[in-house]
Amino acid sequence: MRVAFLLLFVVVVSAADLEWWKTALIYQIYPRSFKDSNGDGIGDLNGITEKLPYLKETGVDAIWLSPIYLSPMYDFGYDITDYREIAPEYGTMDDFKRLLSEAKKLGIRVVLDYVPNHTSNESDWFIRSANRESGYEDYYVWTDGVNDTATGELKPPNNWVSQFRKSAWEFNSARGQYYLHQFVIGQPDLNYRNDKVQQEMKDVLRFWLDLGVSGFRVDAVNRLYEADPRNYGGRYPDEPLSGINGTVPDDYEYLNHIYTQDLNETYDVVYNWRDVLDEYIAIQGEYKIMMTEAYTDLNNMIRYYGTNTRNGSIPFNFSFLGDINSSSNAWDIKVVIDKWMTYMPNGKTANWVNGNHDQSRLASRQGLERVDAMNMLALILPGVAITYQGEEIGMTDGYVSWEDTKDPQACNTDDNINYYKKSRDPSRTPYHWDSSNNAGFSDTTGKTWLPVAENYRTVNLAKQMNDPKSHYQFYKDVVQVRRNAAVREGDLDTRALSEFVLVVTRLLPNYPGVLGVVNLSEKSQELDLSSLQLLPDNLKVVASGVSCTTEKGATMKKSNVPISGHCALLFESNGCLRLQPYIVLCIFLYLISHLI
Ligand code: GLC
């Protein structure tokens, strides 16, 4: 009997460990800006460990840490000197192990950023490769420059442009050749046509998996390959012009990136990484998540999910970032949601991203009045929800002057007036813990690495924790409801009842249904939801956004649902969608109709 009980326990535990990722709430931490524990003005690992209880209380399942590795920080950690070392300004390997074990105790999984496209130009591999050390010659994308016939000057091999502006090629005098860098000069692109590079990068995955991390977010994955010069007479071919008005040759948008993005070879590499991760299911009894970052069209995107024979990743769904703005109406938002669900291959896991460290913040991009609505949608739609630190309290973009600007994408504009259009610093300003000095982020007497946004005294976590009517409380309430069976497994129904009203229903037979209603207009509305036939009649409010006048606990009939302007309301049905009696009725009617 005891053995049977134990076996049952093991089965239940391992099922949870294998399924956790399918409905995970993943919280993205930008370590530099989360919490500074040692007063140097820069966030660090011990700061994160200190705040884990808060994340637990919020209901987060996993944290994804933006890069924590040794780096000269030209691109704030996305330029990695050593994939196996921790950046000293963030702490030590022991600090990381402590973070991991404290998180584990709280039931929070740790997901790391994996940056496979490029290293730092200070990495050992790059230095060896630049010196043509045997075995390392082809670790990077090297090629000769071209001689300008008129001036005799040596020029880059072709017209390719870095994401951060200007030529994507940099001359290395030790080697006497140019290397490719799709991002900053200090981020040389690895050469994925070299099997040794592929092997090295798999070993990096294994190193962190062995330490017990629960998966990876894969950076800039659609940049892994470039056109093979062997198919173009030994040259890397020029990319065609995009024809976009107002762009100049130094701008990334000037070209159509057909030879540097989304190459067919990319997908197999991702599937191979997936295989490495899958080895650990047996070793550690836990599914390891892989989420890939590629800003690309939907057809390319869904290929990351895998094929009939290969497992893949969860491609980040950036449609909430790119396809919805402050003037999108309920019809637009419905279309955006339905589009992902339509294209996503059957049986795969959806995901919803409301912000990250590269994008303007939700509150600034879509307006403060939509924060609750968008947070709620991401949390009640099927699949994985990803929250960037600060979106749960409605942080806005901070102001960062040209003098304080750190982001290479902004600095490379060389334009002290328009730099902000490219700058990612505003969404990376320190987290607002409370209204004390530096928003409780750091007790430094000097400057924090980026200035704290001015509104921290009014927008901060401590204040919102004490305020039942706050973005944070609403977020937390919705996260609670997210645990319902209907949100985990129920069918999805999205309806735009008008230009202003969006309704999302999650129904599962024999469980209470969940219904999210969003009013995008400033006017109150009286809704009749009777057209949602499968939704039980009686509804109870389980989360009420900051603009709502109806409070948590209120009950109403679906035929009469009042909703105030800019309000996001979450309901649970009192009573379940029950199928069994109807099945009996159906069989009865079927028999009658066939007997007559
Ligand atoms: C990704 C990261 C971004 C970084 C770039 C280069 O897009 O999110 O922050 O600058 O890759 O690594």
Side-chain angles (χ1 to χ4, degrees):
M1 179 68 184
R2 275 179 91 182
V3 174
F5 189 72
L6 202 70
L7 266 178
L8 183 71
F9 179 74
V10 170
V11 170
V12 170
V13 168
S14 59
D17 283 344
L18 296 181
E19 299 289 307
W20 71 271
W21 59 285
K22 290 187 176 168
T23 53
L25 166 57
I26 299 185
Y27 188 85
Q28 181 193 353
I29 292 181
Y30 195 70
R32 213 174 174 79
S33 300
F34 194 58
K35 172 71 181 146
D36 169 19
S37 73
N38 61 358
D40 64 358
I42 297 173
D44 46 49
L45 295 179
N46 288 340
I48 299 172
T49 308
E50 183 187 320
K51 294 297 182 184
L52 286 173
Y54 150 67
L55 296 171
K56 175 70 187 169
E57 195 185 323
T58 311
V60 162
D61 298 304
I63 49 176
W64 142 36
L65 307 181
S66 281
I68 54 173
Y69 318 104
L70 186 65
S71 160
M73 301 285 167
Y74 293 120
D75 191 19
F76 297 101
Y78 284 95
D79 47 328
I80 299 170
T81 307
D82 189 330
Y83 288 109
R84 294 172 175 81
E85 293 270 339
I86 303 288
E89 61 213 289
Y90 295 158
T92 62
M93 189 56 92
D94 281 342
D95 293 335
F96 176 72
K97 287 182 183 164
R98 199 166 66 85
L99 189 167
L100 202 58
S101 86
E102 292 302 314
K104 208 178 183 115
K105 280 186 212 156
L106 294 171
I108 298 176
R109 296 172 205 258
V110 176
V111 172
L112 291 182
D113 220 306
Y114 177 63
V115 187
N117 180 64
H118 42 264
T119 67
S120 157
N121 60 351
E122 296 184 8
S123 85
D124 183 53
W125 296 349
F126 184 77
I127 295 165
R128 286 169 189 260
S129 192
N131 291 324
R132 296 183 195 262
E133 206 174 291
S134 162
Y136 290 88
E137 300 94 328
D138 299 327
Y139 264 44
Y140 294 84
V141 181
W142 294 103
T143 194
D144 293 331
V146 290
N147 273 308
D148 188 315
T149 41
T151 63
E153 201 189 333
L154 189 65
K155 291 223 159 127
N158 67 20
N159 70 349
W160 293 358
V161 179
S162 144
Q163 167 94 44
F164 296 152
R165 289 189 88 241
K166 307 180 188 170
S167 175
W169 298 98
E170 182 69 9
F171 188 72
N172 179 278
S173 44
R175 171 118 177 183
Q177 278 191 311
Y178 282 84
Y179 68 84
L180 177 70
H181 59 89
Q182 294 212 49
F183 296 92
V184 296
I185 288 174
Q187 286 169 308
D189 269 51
L190 284 162
N191 174 18
Y192 275 81
R193 300 196 188 277
N194 180 343
D195 290 345
K196 275 169 118 178
V197 167
Q198 298 232 15
Q199 196 49 49
E200 293 264 25
M201 291 309 292
K202 283 187 194 164
D203 290 347
V204 171
L205 291 175
R206 290 200 175 94
F207 175 82
W208 294 102
L209 288 166
D210 287 338
L211 284 175
V213 305
S214 296
F216 300 91
R217 172 265 188 189
V218 184
D219 183 74
V221 72
N222 61 333
R223 309 294 181 87
L224 291 185
Y225 280 92
E226 298 72 39
D228 189 340
R230 285 172 299 190
N231 299 331
Y232 298 91
R235 282 202 58 209
Y236 288 101
D238 277 349
E239 289 190 323
L241 309 194
S242 68
I244 297 179
N245 265 341
T247 58
V248 297
D250 273 350
D251 294 338
Y252 189 65
E253 298 75 16
Y254 186 69
L255 301 176
N256 241 339
H257 302 286
I258 57 171
Y259 297 128
T260 50
Q261 275 192 24
D262 306 314
L263 270 74
N264 266 324
E265 295 90 326
T266 313
Y267 305 95
D268 272 338
V269 178
V270 172
Y271 308 152
N272 293 340
W273 290 334
R274 179 72 258 164
D275 289 347
V276 173
L277 268 59
D278 283 348
E279 289 168 18
Y280 281 78
I281 298 177
I283 302 171
Q284 292 181 2
E286 179 199 48
Y287 185 86
K288 306 292 183 182
I289 198 167
M290 175 163 50
M291 300 173 294
T292 39
E293 184 218 28
Y295 289 89
T296 184
D297 72 48
L298 207 42
N299 286 307
N300 290 326
M301 197 86 107
I302 58 164
R303 292 181 68 184
Y304 291 103
Y305 269 122
T307 66
N308 289 340
T309 54
R310 305 289 312 265
N311 293 329
S313 65
I314 301 181
F316 274 139
N317 169 3
F318 291 134
S319 58
F320 277 15
L321 303 177
D323 302 339
I324 299 178
N325 56 42
S326 55
S327 50
S328 303
N329 60 29
W331 299 319
D332 302 328
I333 300 177
K334 175 181 160 54
V335 168
V336 167
I337 296 170
D338 293 351
K339 191 168 175 189
W340 186 271
M341 297 309 291
T342 306
Y343 277 74
M344 184 179 74
N346 187 26
K348 298 293 180 189
T349 299
N351 74 100
W352 312 93
V353 180
N354 259 324
N356 64 38
H357 63 293
D358 294 330
Q359 307 292 333
S360 167
R361 282 191 174 278
L362 170 59
S364 299
R365 205 175 350 105
Q366 294 206 33
L368 211 49
E369 62 284 354
R370 292 198 177 189
V371 165
D372 291 339
M374 294 311 295
N375 275 338
M376 179 179 80
L377 289 177
L379 290 168
I380 64 167
L381 287 168
V384 176
I386 296 120
T387 297
Y388 175 51
Q389 65 181 45
E391 306 293 23
E392 74 283 13
I393 57 170
M395 277 178 66
T396 49
D397 288 342
Y399 169 73
V400 184
S401 68
W402 170 248
E403 289 70 32
D404 283 338
T405 290
K406 302 281 188 313
D407 178 16
Q409 183 162 268
C411 296
N412 272 8
T413 60
D414 302 322
D415 181 340
N416 62 358
I417 308 289
N418 291 308
Y419 70 97
Y420 71 91
K421 292 182 188 156
K422 286 281 180 185
S423 184
R424 299 171 296 176
D425 288 339
S427 61
R428 298 174 178 180
T429 59
Y431 189 88
H432 298 177
W433 294 100
D434 53 43
S435 57
S436 69
N437 202 23
N438 291 328
F441 161 70
S442 167
D443 58 14
T444 180
T445 45
K447 278 178 132 186
T448 52
W449 84 280
L450 279 179
V452 175
E454 276 172 5
N455 59 359
Y456 76 90
R457 285 201 179 78
T458 46
V459 182
N460 66 63
L461 179 69
K463 190 162 181 270
Q464 295 195 17
M465 275 186 158
N466 292 326
D467 179 357
K469 207 79 187 138
S470 65
H471 294 303
Y472 176 70
Q473 286 300 343
F474 176 71
Y475 180 90
K476 210 174 134 190
D477 288 341
V478 180
V479 171
Q480 207 56 40
V481 177
R482 183 175 167 77
R483 301 186 192 290
N484 282 24
V487 179
R488 289 178 178 275
E489 295 162 43
D491 278 355
L492 168 68
D493 184 290
T494 59
R495 300 200 192 179
L497 296 189
S498 71
E499 185 181 350
F500 303 116
V501 177
L502 182 71
V503 178
V504 171
T505 323
R506 303 296 310 280
L507 293 178
L508 187 68
N510 306 319
Y511 287 92
V514 169
L515 167 84
V517 184
V518 169
N519 179 4
L520 296 172
S521 99
E522 57 189 26
K523 294 203 186 88
S524 340
Q525 319 268 335
E526 298 285 332
L527 306 177
D528 179 356
L529 303 179
S530 305
S531 60
L532 296 159
Q533 298 192 47
L534 295 180
L535 182 72
D537 278 338
N538 295 313
L539 303 173
K540 182 167 131 209
V541 176
V542 283
S544 157
V546 296
S547 305
C548 307
T549 48
T550 316
E551 295 310 328
K552 229 167 90 177
T555 53
M556 55 194 75
K557 295 259 179 235
K558 72 173 175 183
S559 54
N560 180 19
V561 175
I563 181 165
S564 43
H566 292 310
C567 165
L569 275 180
L570 189 63
F571 298 89
E572 224 174 67
S573 67
N574 268 345
C576 308
L577 164 69
R578 296 209 186 279
L579 286 188
Q580 286 88 337
Y582 300 116
I583 289 175
V584 175
L585 186 68
C586 272
I587 295 170
F588 177 70
L589 290 175
Y590 176 86
L591 288 176
I592 298 265
S593 62
H594 280 74
L595 289 176
I596 294 171

